[in-house]
Amino acid sequence: MGGDRAEGLWRLRFETGFDLHSSSSHAEAIIHLVDQWASSEGKLFHEESLTVKRTKLAWIAALLVLAVVLGQPRFLVAEIPDWTALCAEAAKQFRPITKEDVTTARKDLEAAVARLEARFERAGPEVEGWKKYLQWTVLKAELAKDSPDLRPLEEVYSRLAAGYEGLQLTCFADVRRALQRYVALSRAVGDASIEGRYHAVLDNLQKALIEYQQSQDPHVALTIQDLLDWLELAGQAPELRAAVRDAFAQPNAFVRVKENFLASAFAEPVDVTEDVREIILGTDVRGKGHIVGQRSLELVPSPDRALMAIVVQGTIHSDTVGFNGPARIYSQSVTPFTARKLVAFSPDGLSFQPATCSATTHSDIQDVDVTCNSACVERIAWRRTFKQKSAAEWEAARKAERRVERRVDSEADPQLEKAAERYQTRVRQPLLDRSLFPQWQLSTSEDELSMRVLQLGHGGLGAADAPPEVAKDGAIALRVHHTWFNNLAEGFLGGMILKEERLQQLAQDLLGRVPEELKRDEGEEPWTVRFAARRPIAVTFADGRLVVEFRGETYWRGDRAYPGMDVRATYRIESGTGDKGPEIRLVREGPLTVLPPNFDPERDRLSVRQQTIRSLLERRFEKIFRETITIEPIKLEGQWAKAGPLVVTHLETTGGWLRAVLDPAR
């Protein structure tokens, strides 16, 4: 049997040129092979025996299984949906909005209100301020009625949507969305115009989907999101909405980190002197131990998490005296050891295991004497010492292992616990609180740590295809689709009111300083912005360029309000040589564009107030979006400082993807 299987594998390799034993085999080769065998041009069903036909069918089935197991995601992505057909089918499925829809929406609203009420009960005294602002008693009173008055509910909704910091938390956002849907459906019952609007939405959605499939233009994505929101609010076309989400749900961020870079951050010499006090075979051993070695980090292969081992390799040189009755045993020993502590990181958090150590001890007996001045007793002591030497060395090695394990745990555990706590409080929980925690997967091989992320934000679109490969190798390789940044920024900032002082505080907390670009000029009044609900800060990656947009719905300078403006800068990526060697620059193409939303320069004219805020924004954003931005080395902090600073050695943008390579500065 074994020989037959090996012969079969060899035959397949010989006939097709595809080696199943090769680790570099790709699913696309398998799928191409299946297509070749199963196509009408092949001979699968032509003049062949039944046995041959069955054999080839079996191989096709096996190859398709291998395609799933070995394939990269881009080889297995479904064909591009026929958006015209899907939208036409959805057009037949319009369902008038009924009182039952309103009843369901009310139950959802009541459930969201109950969750927020429970959150209020766990919070502190500041809850009363929130309740007063939200007109909580009014909301509860209306929901207690059989037929709530929609006008007070709309007032509560407007307060929930006001954009103040804190209202982005999931507990508030759930009530806001449920309240919006309940009010909208209540007003839509019996509205004959809904069906016409439904068909108009589908027509626009079809055009936008076809365009986005080709361009992946963020502006088109915004249109699709708004149209999907309308359908979801109205409870229409669930199959179409699911098809859109599935089609544009490819991971939109990929990170690859080489093991040697990670190891360089953790590499550290070990040179420690410790007291030795052990009982070995009934002998009280005392003395000094000198530990000399090296700490490092190794990656451990794992398909579903980042698995690492903190490794300490070294030698313990001990000089001890053993006390056993009248005997005194003077010895020196050498104990080589290797200690390992496994650390796992997954989206749920950081976990670690107790250290384990393996050691062997080789001792050299320097002298044995006795306190009773008896030559006979001394000879007995010498004989017993050498007789027990192997057993004593074995036990000494076990004792040394325990000491090393305790030392590794005592030094590593506090740092790991701190890192685990910081991840939970600074990354995971803030994202969970805003329903922004992404889908992501970590894995490790012997050579690198890999991470792929799908960040959809609040109903955004992911990538439509797999990322192009990074042409250059490096310590860190990044591939980021503009949807990753745009969805995350919208989730955090969409509709939010941000004061200048708060932005400076955030910069101070994050960077340890306030950048010059964010500092106010002397005598200038403080500013405040209410971000646009959609794409408040957005980027576009295409054709070797990076486009950045800042979209404000309302601006305030002091206590004076100004209308919304969009600020746009387009940068070209250039590589060159600076004073410190190769460098990458972002060179702005033309002046900043500062215009109202949907402004047509050939048709529209700016009002006096629009001209005033435009001038103010141009002056302020010229400090941020400079004509030339040189990408400076990234300084790393704490433990990571030994591995950095990091230099961006490669940067390019194409088809919605940004690809970057970072290496330690030389």
Side-chain angles (χ1 to χ4, degrees), residues 12 28 54 69 143 191 306 467 558 643 662:
L12 181 63
E28 61 181 354
R54 287 175 175 173
V69 173
L143 291 180
D191 186 345
L662 296 88

Side-chain angles (χ1 to χ4, degrees), residues 274 289-292 314-318 333-337 400 403-404:
E274 65 175 1
H290 184 200
I291 305 174
V292 179
T315 304
I316 306 173
H317 300 272
S318 300
S333 63
V334 176
T335 304
F337 68 89
R403 292 201 308 274
V404 171

